[in-house]
Amino acid sequence: MIPTFDMRCAAFSGQRLIAEGQPRDVLPAVKAATDAGEGVLVFDLTTGRPVEFDLRGDLETALARLPVAAPEPRKGPGRPKLGVTAREVTLLPRHWDWLAGQPGGASSALRKMVEAAMREAEGPDRARRAREAVYRFMTALAGDLPDYEEAVRRLFAGDRTAFEAATVDWPQGVRDTALTIAEPSWAIRPPEAG
């Protein structure tokens, strides 16, 4: 994954945390460790995915290649671009009849229903994404640490206390990063397996 300017990431040399923050703050430590012959892994703290820096050249050259904040879109007269995309939707005739009778028409009613469903699923979706992110991170960096399997089971069971207990003997940087990435997953318990 290519870094974005506002991403939060953590860099590890082996299982030692060497830097954490935005790419501009992390890259100098990554460059120094790499130039010293150390193997370095960098992770996005939101997705748990690896982040790749282009470290060719000196530090200033590598920093210059990092993305900068996107410019503010130009505002002018006229209707703003909403990014509307037309796609086909297949519904039964009674569904079309109901949609046609809604204020604003079928498109407006469908947009409102989708927005409501997205708001309702926001918490569980955020928790699921956090569990998947910390699992990716742990698989890459903690797979050979004590109680790794137990930590994974406790993560997907939504048991924060047992997860913390399973990771207590891990190197502090690995443990703290796993807990940071997992934080949103504790808000909602995963559904019971059945």
Side-chain angles (χ1 to χ4, degrees), residues 106-126:
S107 291
S108 175
L110 286 170
R111 282 192 300 272
K112 289 176 185 175
M113 287 190 295
V114 169
E115 289 293 332
M118 288 170 60
R119 279 191 302 275
E120 185 179 312
E122 183 178 351
D125 285 349
R126 186 179 322 121

Side-chain angles (χ1 to χ4, degrees), residues 21-148:
Q22 292 183 327
R24 191 158 296 284
D25 303 324
V26 172
L27 189 135
V30 171
K31 177 90 171 123
T34 303
D35 288 350
E38 298 177 38
V40 177
L41 291 175
V42 182
F43 297 92
D44 176 350
L45 292 178
T46 302
T47 66
R49 286 187 163 81
V51 177
E52 296 179 19
F53 289 119
D54 185 347
L55 300 174
R56 293 173 295 158
D58 61 10
L59 178 60
E60 288 72 32
T61 304
L63 284 168
R65 280 193 289 271
L66 287 176
V68 294
E72 288 291 319
R74 188 175 62 86
K75 296 183 181 186
R79 187 172 178 190
K81 294 186 183 211
L82 300 176
V84 175
T85 303
R87 300 226 174 124
E88 183 178 327
V89 175
T90 305
L91 299 172
L92 295 173
R94 68 176 183 267
H95 298 146
W96 285 114
D97 292 342
W98 181 84
L99 284 169
Q102 298 304 304
S107 291
S108 175
L110 286 170
R111 282 192 300 272
K112 289 176 185 175
M113 287 190 295
V114 169
E115 289 293 332
M118 288 170 60
R119 279 191 302 275
E120 185 179 312
E122 183 178 351
D125 285 349
R126 186 179 322 121
R128 177 188 50 77
R129 285 190 305 268
R131 281 189 296 274
E132 291 170 357
V134 75
Y135 177 71
R136 274 191 290 276
F137 168 77
M138 288 169 39
T139 299
L141 210 58
D144 61 348
L145 292 176
D147 293 323
Y148 165 78

